[in-house]
């Protein structure tokens, strides 16, 4: 007999601190001891106190930000503030995250996608990592192994660690959502409804298995577990009982915690036919409730294949999956954002044709990721054309109703869901938690996962990365400069593309995981944000990312709800209006018009070749081209938007210098670099030239008269650094300013 957790429990209490073992002196094999092991001590559901005062939401309401306006930040609650440099009161907790919300607001993200925060056991895999020289143990750090769907992860709570009860756990998570909303940031949860922590037949009995194994899990006739999740079991999602549990759970998180959306891990499992068993009819016991969850024999077809009770073989992908339909049509979830990871571990791939029910769902676009990586590292093939499509929101995937011959799902049961969608169907990303970080994408050709203790056999081998000439960390200046340029190129592709961009935590400043592309088991600096690196920003990459996000926010033409037409976009090559779509092409350039007539637009060019290109700029009557971004330049001249690191006059001087090219209708795009120019009225550029000439003449006159000279940009930057040094935290700012000044060309 097992003591199991109620699947509808609203709070699970067990160990109070993250990574803390349960009592080691107990005999967990004894019938008199509850729990399974020090890593699995007995958990209990907390009971709300009658009449307990509810949380004060202070009038909080859903933000309901338009999908096209989102910049999503995929993040880990503990990893964000666990590093000592975070200098927060409650590191690694919801409260610690609250303390750093202003950083996210300043960065410009307006949606955080939290890796799993449903109750899970971080000690599920706890054991010494073979070969570790520091005695490191293996953790379930990411949390993709749910114990209970209704309870916030208790050991992410400062209140629980301080001895509080389940009500305080709920209030701490509510506080996080409320404070995020105050800053204009939505909260999206990464949810795992494809499997649970109970694993296969060798796993622990914690909750669902003890209630009715045959209802909650997808099973074969002899009781074997289907493993579409790759984690030992598969939740029987489309069974009526399980379907109700999932919808009830989503409704609860929306109504009780005010969350704004969900990203569904391995969402294709939600479309598979469930397994079904005959209901048993035990002898009735007077006064006892009906045994509705007790199952009898398997329901099979004439060949002995398990079915869903309606003749559909278990596991078959359904054209009209009941669970996805119920979520899509639920009135409580009507304005909630739904994002599908539209594949599973058995090869079902539904990107472009996940059942979306009138566009209710967006999808993680894995094809976008692969295409951008291929083009920007200069791979031979059809990548120029594919990259151009990715920049436009992937209409070849989401607008086109005709799937490729190799797309099994979209040519069969998924045909009705293919095409006729908007750019916002595409969640664009270059990197995510399960793979190389952005910095590692340009530093390593191969994975380096030896720290996981699995002889480097785990993790993805197909990374589409390029180390820029040297594997791993190097002191070669040319390689490091190229890596910085490539990181900026990737950020430009992501944040200039139509669709919805998603950044991975740490990519905004260049966090490295030392070439490890599968850091699921590390509660260490591999997965923690190092806030010293954030503050230092020695290469100016964090500034570049921050300004690029703001550039996206201020340019509606980058946040479209419909696909571009020939009236909106023109493609170019080295010569204007003459693009090169051949397999050897390494240049993609285009002009994108603003929505309003005669309001100008942008010229964007990506050069992924090893030689510079001189591009001809298209002539727009009465307008001139002003340089905004050039990743071939060193910081802070890589993005000419004035801020604390780049004075307005410095930006103007750099833009004035660029007119040496643009005034003649050309611009030089260095190897492996990206440029963005903005169309402005000719009068604006003329005024810029006039100010430049005026400043030069005034300086010369003052010099002849022995008067004070206008400080040089280097002197101005040094003066700003001196002022910052006098304020709290000024020393780090002074160091950063000094390094930036040294890098000016």
């Amino acid at each position: 007999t097992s003591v199991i957790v109620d699947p509808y429990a609203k709070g699970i209490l067990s160990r109070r601190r993250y990574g803390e073992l349960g009592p080691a002196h107990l005999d967990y094999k004894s019938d008199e001891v509850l729990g399974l092991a020090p890593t699995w001590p007995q958990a209990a559901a907390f009971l709300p106190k009658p009449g307990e005062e509810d949380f004060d939401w202070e009038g909080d309401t859903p933000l309901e930000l338009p999908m096209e306006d989102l910049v999503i930040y995929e993040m880990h609650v503990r990893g964000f503030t666990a590093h000592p440099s975070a200098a927060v009161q409650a590191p690694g907790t919801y409260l610690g995250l609250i303390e750093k919300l202003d950083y996210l607001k300043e960065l410009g993200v307006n949606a955080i996608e939290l890796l799993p925060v449903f109750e899970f056991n971080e000690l599920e895999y706890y054991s010494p990592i073979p070969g570790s020289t520091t005695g490191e143990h293996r953790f379930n750090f990411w949390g993709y192994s749910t114990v209970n769907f209704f309870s916030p992860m208790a050991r992410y709570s400062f209140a629980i660690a301080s001895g509080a009860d389940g009500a305080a756990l709920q209030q701490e998570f509510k506080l996080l959502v409320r404070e995020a909303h105050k800053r204009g940031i939505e909260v999206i949860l990464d949810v795992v409804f494809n499997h649970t922590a109970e694993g296969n037949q060798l796993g622990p009995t914690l909750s669902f298995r003890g209630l009715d194994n045959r209802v909650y899990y997808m099973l074969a006739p002899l009781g074997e577990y289907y493993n579409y999740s790759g984690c030992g079991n598969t939740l029987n999602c489309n069974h009526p009982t399980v379907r109700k549990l999932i919808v009830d759970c989503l409704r609860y998180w929306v109504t009780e915690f005010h969350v704004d959306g969900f990203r569904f891990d391995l969402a294709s499992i939600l479309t598979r036919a469930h397994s079904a068993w005959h209901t048993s009819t035990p002898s009735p016991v007077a006064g006892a409730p009906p045994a509705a969850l007790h199952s009898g024999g398997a329901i099979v077809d004439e060949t002995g294949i398990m079915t869903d009770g309606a003749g559909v073989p278990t596991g078959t992908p359904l054209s009209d999956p009941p669970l996805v339909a119920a979520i899509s049509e639920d009135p409580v979830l009507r304005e909630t954002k739904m994002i599908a990871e539209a594949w599973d571990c058995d090869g079902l791939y539904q990107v472009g044709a996940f059942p979306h029910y009138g566009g209710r769902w967006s999808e993680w676009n894995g094809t976008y990721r692969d295409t951008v990586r291929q083009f920007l590292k200069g791979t031979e093939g059809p990548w120029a054309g594919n990259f151009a499509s990715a920049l436009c929101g992937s209409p070849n995937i989401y607008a086109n109703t005709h799937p490729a011959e190799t797309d099994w799902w979209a040519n069969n049961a998924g045909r009705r869901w293919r095409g006729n969608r908007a750019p916002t169907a595409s969640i664009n990303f270059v990197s995510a938690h399960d793979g190389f970080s952005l910095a590692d994408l340009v530093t390593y050709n191969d994975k380096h996962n030896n720290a996981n203790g699995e002889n480097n056999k785990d993790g993805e081998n197909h990374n589409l990365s390029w180390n820029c000439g040297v594997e791993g960390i190097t002191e070669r200046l040319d390689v490091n400069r190229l890596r910085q340029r490539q990181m900026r190129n990737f950020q430009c592709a992501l944040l200039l593309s139509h669709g919805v961009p998603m950044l991975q935590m740490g990519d905004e400043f260049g966090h490295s995981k030392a070439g490890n592309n599968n850091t699921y088991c590390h509660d260490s600096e591999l997965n923690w944000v190092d806030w010293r690196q954030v503050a230092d920003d020695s290469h100016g990459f964090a500034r570049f990312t921050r300004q690029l996000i703001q550039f996206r926010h201020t340019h509606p033409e980058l946040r479209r709800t419909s696909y571009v037409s020939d009236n909106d976009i023109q493609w170019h090559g080295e010569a204007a209006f003459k693009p090169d779509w051949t397999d050897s092409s390494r240049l993609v350039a285009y002009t994108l018009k603003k929505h309003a007539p005669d309001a100008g637009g942008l010229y964007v060019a990506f050069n992924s070749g090893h030689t510079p290109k001189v591009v001809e700029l298209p002539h727009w009557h009465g307008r001139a081209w002003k340089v905004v971004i050039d990743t071939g330049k060193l910081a802070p001249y890589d993005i000419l938007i004035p801020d604390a690191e780049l004075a307005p006059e410095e930006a103007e001087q750099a833009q004035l210098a660029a007119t040496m090219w643009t005034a003649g209708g050309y611009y030089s795009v260095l190897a492996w670099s990206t440029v963005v120019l903005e169309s402005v009225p000719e009068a604006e550029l003329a005024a810029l030239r006039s100010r430049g000439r005026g400043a030069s003449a005034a300086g010369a006159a003052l010099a002849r008269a022995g008067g004070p000279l206008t400080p040089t940009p280097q002197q101005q930057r040094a003066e700003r650094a001196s002022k910052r040094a006098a304020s709290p935290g000024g020393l780090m700012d002074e160091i950063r300013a000094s390094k930036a000044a040294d890098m000016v060309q």
Side-chain angles (χ1 to χ4, degrees):
T1 302
S2 299
V3 176
I4 59 175
V5 172
D6 178 2
Y8 278 81
K10 302 305 190 291
I12 303 298
L13 301 180
S14 178
R15 299 172 290 104
R16 287 192 172 270
R17 292 178 177 81
Y18 189 95
E20 178 182 72
L21 289 167
H25 65 278
L26 299 178
D27 180 8
Y28 287 95
K29 295 181 180 179
S30 170
D31 292 339
E32 299 179 358
V33 175
L34 298 179
L36 303 174
T39 55
W40 284 105
Q42 182 59 44
F46 97 96
L47 296 177
K49 298 176 183 178
E52 192 170 44
E53 184 177 353
D54 198 8
F55 177 76
D56 182 6
W57 281 103
E58 299 181 358
D60 178 75
T61 57
L63 295 180
E64 297 182 4
L65 300 177
M67 199 73 184
E68 64 273 14
D69 289 345
L70 292 192
V71 176
I72 300 174
Y73 187 80
E74 187 200 30
M75 66 179 303
H76 189 282
V77 170
R78 178 169 171 79
F80 195 56
T81 62
H83 197 284
S85 63
V88 296
Q89 175 189 354
T93 66
Y94 304 122
L95 190 60
L97 173 51
I98 293 169
E99 294 181 71
K100 289 292 190 180
L101 283 174
D102 287 336
Y103 165 80
L104 295 174
K105 181 179 180 180
E106 182 182 356
L107 179 61
V109 300
N110 53 16
I112 52 176
E113 183 175 300
L114 303 180
L115 266 66
V117 294
F118 293 175
E119 179 66 21
F120 68 91
N121 182 6
E122 77 279 11
L123 300 181
E124 181 178 357
Y125 318 134
Y126 192 75
S127 60
I129 297 180
S132 173
T133 59
T134 59
E136 188 178 356
H137 283 64
R138 182 176 284 115
F139 282 79
N140 173 15
F141 186 76
W142 288 343
Y144 289 87
S145 194
T146 308
V147 170
N148 178 272
F149 294 109
F150 289 81
S151 173
M153 170 61 172
R155 288 164 305 286
Y156 284 167
S157 167
F158 178 74
I160 292 297
S162 303
D165 63 9
L169 164 64
Q170 292 184 331
Q171 293 203 359
E172 187 173 336
F173 191 86
K174 291 176 181 179
L175 182 64
L176 167 60
V177 177
R178 189 190 76 189
E179 293 305 304
H181 284 177
K182 284 182 179 179
R183 292 160 175 81
I185 299 172
E186 293 192 331
V187 179
I188 299 171
L189 304 186
D190 192 337
V191 294
V192 188
F193 291 115
N194 56 76
H195 75 284
T196 76
E198 292 185 305
N200 60 18
Q201 69 276 8
L202 301 177
T205 296
L206 306 170
S207 179
F208 308 99
R209 196 198 313 275
L211 280 178
D212 196 329
N213 190 45
R214 294 175 175 180
V215 165
Y216 286 99
Y217 295 112
M218 198 180 291
L219 302 178
L222 297 180
E224 307 96 325
Y225 288 83
Y226 282 88
N227 190 21
Y228 295 117
S229 68
C231 296
N233 66 50
T234 303
L235 206 62
N236 210 17
C237 295
N238 281 299
H239 187 287
T241 299
V242 184
R243 184 167 75 239
K244 182 179 185 303
L245 172 84
I246 293 173
V247 174
D248 287 347
C249 172
L250 298 175
R251 291 167 62 106
Y252 175 74
W253 282 91
V254 169
T255 57
E256 187 70 18
F257 293 103
H258 292 200
V259 302
D260 303 281
F262 304 94
R263 177 265 186 188
F264 293 79
D265 183 64
L266 299 182
S268 291
I269 286 175
L270 277 59
T271 71
R272 291 186 179 271
H274 64 282
S275 58
W277 303 73
H278 294 286
T279 303
S280 64
T281 54
S283 300
V285 177
L293 291 182
H294 292 281
S295 303
I299 300 178
V300 299
D301 62 17
E302 62 276 5
T303 65
I305 299 296
M306 193 85 180
T307 76
D308 64 353
V312 179
T314 296
T316 301
L318 303 173
S319 176
D320 193 16
L323 173 59
V324 180
I327 294 171
S328 305
E329 298 164 359
D330 188 272
V332 173
L333 305 176
R334 182 176 60 248
E335 302 300 330
T336 305
K337 294 174 173 66
M338 302 294 175
I339 301 171
E341 183 185 39
W343 55 82
D344 66 20
C345 290
D346 197 56
L348 180 56
Y349 192 78
Q350 298 174 314
V351 171
F354 186 84
H356 55 81
Y357 293 91
R360 281 287 291 114
W361 293 72
S362 297
E363 301 170 7
W364 265 29
N365 189 349
T367 302
Y368 174 95
R369 171 200 60 207
D370 296 347
T371 297
V372 171
R373 290 186 181 190
Q374 291 278 33
F375 177 77
L376 288 183
K377 72 188 185 81
T379 307
E380 186 85 4
W383 303 113
N386 291 353
F387 180 67
S389 182
L391 293 170
C392 295
S394 301
N396 57 325
I397 299 174
Y398 295 106
N400 185 3
T401 58
H402 302 289
E405 293 182 3
T406 55
D407 191 337
W408 175 85
W409 163 253
N411 278 294
N412 291 280
R415 188 63 184 259
R416 60 181 288 205
W417 304 113
R418 174 75 189 198
N420 297 316
R421 298 167 74 182
T424 50
S426 178
I427 304 296
N428 300 329
F429 65 103
V430 171
S431 66
H433 67 276
D434 53 349
F436 277 151
S437 69
L438 178 60
D440 290 348
L441 187 64
V442 301
T443 307
Y444 299 93
N445 284 349
D446 303 304
K447 66 183 183 183
H448 295 264
N449 295 0
N450 289 312
N452 299 349
E454 301 178 43
N455 297 317
N456 206 35
K457 294 180 180 179
D458 62 303
E460 179 61 60
N461 293 315
H462 187 63
N463 295 292
L464 302 177
S465 58
W466 178 44
N467 63 19
C468 298
V470 176
E471 185 73 358
I473 304 300
T474 181
E475 295 184 359
R476 280 182 52 180
L477 184 61
D478 59 332
V479 172
N480 287 327
R481 282 184 172 175
L482 178 54
R483 288 172 177 173
Q484 284 292 319
R485 205 150 71 230
Q486 282 289 77
M487 288 168 62
R488 287 162 170 77
N489 296 336
F490 277 112
Q491 293 291 60
C492 283
L494 179 64
L495 289 161
L496 298 176
S497 292
H498 298 150
V500 183
M502 183 189 78
L503 292 85
Q504 179 188 189
M505 179 182 82
D507 278 354
E508 75 273 18
F509 63 85
H511 173 70
S512 172
K513 300 180 182 181
N516 193 327
N517 70 0
N518 190 33
T519 57
Y520 73 97
C521 60
H522 295 281
D523 181 33
S524 71
E525 293 191 3
L526 283 179
N527 284 316
W528 297 346
V529 170
D530 186 339
W531 292 91
R532 296 168 302 182
Q533 188 179 353
V534 176
D536 181 33
D537 194 24
S538 59
H539 297 291
F541 184 64
R543 172 189 176 268
F544 180 87
T545 300
R546 184 171 59 251
Q547 292 289 19
L548 185 56
I549 292 173
Q550 295 303 327
F551 185 80
R552 180 181 180 87
H553 284 318
T554 57
H555 287 74
E557 64 270 26
L558 299 176
R559 310 189 313 275
R560 294 180 60 97
T561 57
S562 60
Y563 291 106
V564 291
S565 68
D566 290 343
N567 293 324
D568 306 307
I569 195 167
Q570 291 83 39
W571 300 98
H572 310 289
E574 292 181 65
F577 306 105
K578 294 182 179 180
D580 179 3
W581 304 122
T582 65
D583 284 1
S584 60
S585 175
R586 303 291 187 273
L587 177 69
V588 170
Y590 60 98
T591 43
L592 178 66
K593 293 182 179 178
K594 294 181 181 293
H595 294 305
D598 301 321
L602 303 175
Y603 175 91
V604 182
F606 293 87
N607 179 12
S608 64
H610 65 278
T611 57
K613 303 289 185 183
V614 175
V615 295
E616 179 188 8
L617 303 174
H619 176 69
W620 288 359
H621 180 70
R623 306 192 70 84
W625 292 107
K626 182 175 71 173
V627 177
V628 180
I629 296 170
D630 187 340
T631 66
K633 305 291 186 184
L634 294 177
Y637 297 100
D638 47 359
I639 184 163
L640 298 178
I641 299 176
D643 59 8
E645 299 299 327
L646 185 70
E649 57 270 26
E650 293 177 273
E652 285 192 352
Q653 288 174 18
Q655 288 164 343
L656 186 60
T659 60
M660 175 185 71
W661 284 96
T662 58
Y666 293 91
Y667 195 77
S668 175
V669 187
L670 296 183
W672 289 298
S673 66
T674 304
V675 301
V676 179
L677 288 70
E678 186 159 15
S679 169
V680 298
E682 286 183 344
E684 180 178 326
L685 212 58
L688 176 63
R689 295 192 191 98
S690 177
R691 287 195 297 273
R693 286 193 297 269
S696 299
L702 284 170
R704 288 192 298 271
L709 291 173
T710 301
T712 66
Q714 289 81 1
Q715 292 170 329
Q716 294 171 8
R717 190 173 295 108
E719 181 181 355
R720 291 197 299 274
S722 177
K723 291 178 180 179
R724 286 194 295 268
S727 63
L731 179 59
M732 186 61 74
D733 289 332
E734 183 180 9
I735 293 171
R736 181 170 67 248
S738 175
K739 290 183 178 179
D742 290 342
M743 294 170 64
V744 173
Q745 288 180 314

